[in-house]
Amino acid sequence: MKKIGVLTGGGDCPGLNPVIRAVVRKGLLEGYQLIGIKNGWKGLVENDTMPLDIDAVSGILPKGGTILGTSRTNPFKKEEDLKMVKENFKKMGLDALVAIGGEDTLGVALKLVKSGIPNIVGVPKTIDNDLSATDYTFGFDTALNVAMECIDRLHTTAESHHRIIVAEVMGRHAGWIAIEAGIAGGADVILIPEIPINMDDVCATIQKRHSRGKTFSIVVVAEGAQFEKGTMVLQEQKLDSFGHVRLGGIGEALAQEIEKRTGYETRVSVLGHIQRGGSPTAFDRVLGTRLGVKAIELIKNNKFGRMAALQGVKIVDVPLEEAVKALKTVDMDFYEMAKVFFG
Ligand code: F6P
C-alpha cells in the first residue's frame, strides 16, 4: 500500500482544509495510506506527523485555516534541516508527498525534487493569487470577498462622516486583492505594488471627486505598495526564513499624506489577517476540492514534480518550475480598466 504525506506551508488561507479532505478522500479510494505532516516543512524536519483517515477529515470542509498547522520554515536555510527532511522522508516510509503552498513552499518542493526527493506534487495556495501557471489560487476568492465586504462597510461610515478612508489590504508583491476588491467595492483610488504611488495623482483624483459634490472617498492600497521615491513601509526589518520582511503601515503613511495635502479628514483601516481567516467561499471549496483530487491523480500516474492548476475552467497539471519561476502580477490593461472608475 502506497503511503502519501500531506503538508501545508506558508501563510494559511481558507480552502486548505477542503484540499486536505479531497487528498484524503481520493487517496483512500485509490487504496493509499495518508499521513499528515504537521506545520509545513517543519514537520518533516522534526518528524512530526498525524494520522489522516476519513474521520480526521470529516467536517473540515467549511473550516478556515489548516488542521495540519503551518509554518514558514525553509529547510534549505540550514544543512542540518535538509538532512533531517531527507532522513525523515525515508523514516516515515513515504512513497510520495503532496505539498500545499505558495511560492515559498512550492519553491522548496521544487528544490527537493531536484535534490533527492523526486516524488512530490504541488497544490497552489495563497490569498495573494500571485502564482504563475494557474489562473487562480484557492484562498484568493475568500480574501477578496472579505475585503470587498469591509470596503462596503467603510463606505457607509466614510459617507456619514464626510471622510476619506484608506483601506489597507494584503498583497506583498502583487495587487490582486487590492484591484479586485477595489473594483468590486467601488473604490475611488486603488494602489498596488506593481505601480509606485504618485501622491499628486492620488490627491488630484480625490479633489476631482470632491469638486463634483462628493464629500467622502475610499482609497484601497495593497500593503506592498510603495511611494514613488521607492520606499516600502515596513512593520519591522527582520527577515523570515524565506527572506521576507513584515509589511504593513503604507495605509497610515498614505492617510497622513492625503490629509496633509487635501485638508480632508482621513482615516485608515488595516484589514490584515481578517482576510486570511474564516470559512472558505463556495468557489474556494470547489477549487480546493478539484485541486486535491488532481494531486492524487498525479501521484497515481507518477507525474511528479508537477502542480495541479486551474486554467480556464479545467484542472490541468504544470511543471513546478513554471509555477514558481516568476510571480504573477497585475496586468496593466486590467489596471487601466479599473481606472475608469477612479475619482
Ligand atoms: O502571502 C500571503 C500573505 O498573506 C501576504 O499577503 C502577507 O504579506 C503575508 O502573507 C503576511 O504573512 P504573516 O501572516 O506571516 O504575517
Side-chain angles (χ1 to χ4, degrees):
M1 184 198 267
K2 269 193 180 161
K3 199 171 177 187
I4 315 294
V6 190
L7 65 80
T8 54
D12 73 326
C13 77
L16 284 164
N17 285 328
V19 179
I20 298 166
R21 170 179 174 269
V23 166
V24 172
R25 294 287 298 255
K26 175 68 177 164
L28 292 175
L29 277 183
E30 297 298 337
Y32 300 157
Q33 183 192 349
L34 285 302
I35 66 160
I37 294 160
K38 286 166 132 181
N39 305 318
W41 298 113
K42 191 165 185 267
L44 257 181
V45 175
E46 298 174 354
N47 197 357
D48 192 4
T49 64
M50 62 186 266
L52 275 182
D53 55 15
I54 199 151
D55 287 335
V57 297
S58 171
I60 69 171
L61 178 66
K63 290 191 180 151
T66 161
I67 59 162
L68 297 176
T70 187
S71 73
R72 293 196 186 275
T73 301
N74 178 0
F76 283 90
K77 274 298 258 191
K78 287 193 214 143
E79 228 174 85
E80 182 56 22
D81 284 357
L82 187 57
K83 204 175 124 229
M84 292 313 295
V85 165
K86 291 182 177 174
E87 266 179 42
N88 286 330
F89 193 90
K90 274 200 202 120
K91 222 186 259 172
M92 290 176 195
L94 296 180
D95 294 293
L97 175 70
V98 180
I100 310 167
E103 48 151 344
D104 296 331
T105 306
L106 298 182
V108 168
L110 177 61
K111 280 192 187 167
L112 288 173
V113 166
K114 289 179 169 169
S115 64
I117 307 186
N119 294 0
I120 304 181
V121 298
V123 177
K125 161 242 71 156
T126 168
I127 64 161
D128 288 358
N129 197 35
D130 57 2
L131 269 177
S132 290
T134 185
D135 290 348
Y136 284 100
T137 52
F138 71 85
F140 170 66
D141 185 66
T142 308
L144 166 63
N145 277 285
V146 171
M148 179 194 71
E149 198 203 322
C150 291
I151 293 167
D152 287 349
R153 288 172 186 273
L154 293 173
H155 253 114
T156 60
T157 173
E159 186 166 12
S160 306
H161 284 267
H162 316 290
R163 286 171 174 154
I164 295 169
I165 297 188
V166 174
E168 181 184 305
V169 299
M170 278 189 168
R172 190 186 284 280
H173 306 292
W176 290 108
I177 297 178
I179 193 162
E180 294 212 9
I183 293 171
D188 305 300
V189 178
I190 302 169
L191 301 166
I192 58 176
E194 291 84 344
I195 304 172
I197 301 171
N198 178 311
M199 280 311 299
D200 293 339
D201 288 353
V202 171
C203 293
T205 305
I206 292 169
Q207 299 283 18
K208 191 178 113 209
R209 179 176 154 80
H210 283 234
S211 69
R212 65 178 167 90
K214 290 289 176 187
T215 61
F216 72 97
S217 292
I218 298 290
V219 176
V220 174
V221 62
E223 62 178 359
Q226 326 186 13
F227 290 115
E228 260 185 343
K229 52 187 186 290
T231 44
M232 192 178 258
V233 182
L234 309 178
Q235 274 191 41
E236 58 182 32
Q237 295 285 346
K238 221 172 70 192
L239 298 179
D240 71 12
S241 88
F242 286 95
H244 301 308
V245 282
R246 217 170 122 202
L247 297 174
I250 183 69
E252 184 57 48
L254 187 65
Q256 282 178 21
E257 197 58 27
I258 292 173
E259 186 167 297
K260 198 169 86 191
R261 288 181 181 226
T262 64
Y264 302 131
E265 184 183 3
T266 309
R267 298 291 181 91
V268 61
S269 199
V270 180
L271 309 193
H273 291 90
I274 287 169
Q275 297 158 95
R276 284 224 313 248
S279 194
T281 56
F283 181 88
D284 279 338
R285 293 183 201 190
V286 174
L287 178 59
T289 299
R290 295 176 76 194
L291 293 169
V293 168
K294 182 72 176 182
I296 292 295
E297 285 169 1
L298 292 179
I299 292 173
K300 189 179 168 191
N301 297 316
N302 293 318
K303 289 178 94 175
F304 296 112
R306 302 188 68 84
M307 182 186 84
L310 177 71
Q311 290 184 356
V313 292
K314 290 211 162 69
I315 298 292
V316 298
D317 56 276
V318 296
L320 273 172
E321 269 108 345
E322 232 180 83
V324 299
K325 71 174 180 222
L327 281 179
K328 183 182 69 191
T329 51
V330 172
D331 185 81
M332 287 307 112
D333 290 344
F334 190 33
Y335 191 77
E336 282 306 311
M337 193 285 296
K339 276 167 76 178
V340 170
F341 304 93
F342 285 13

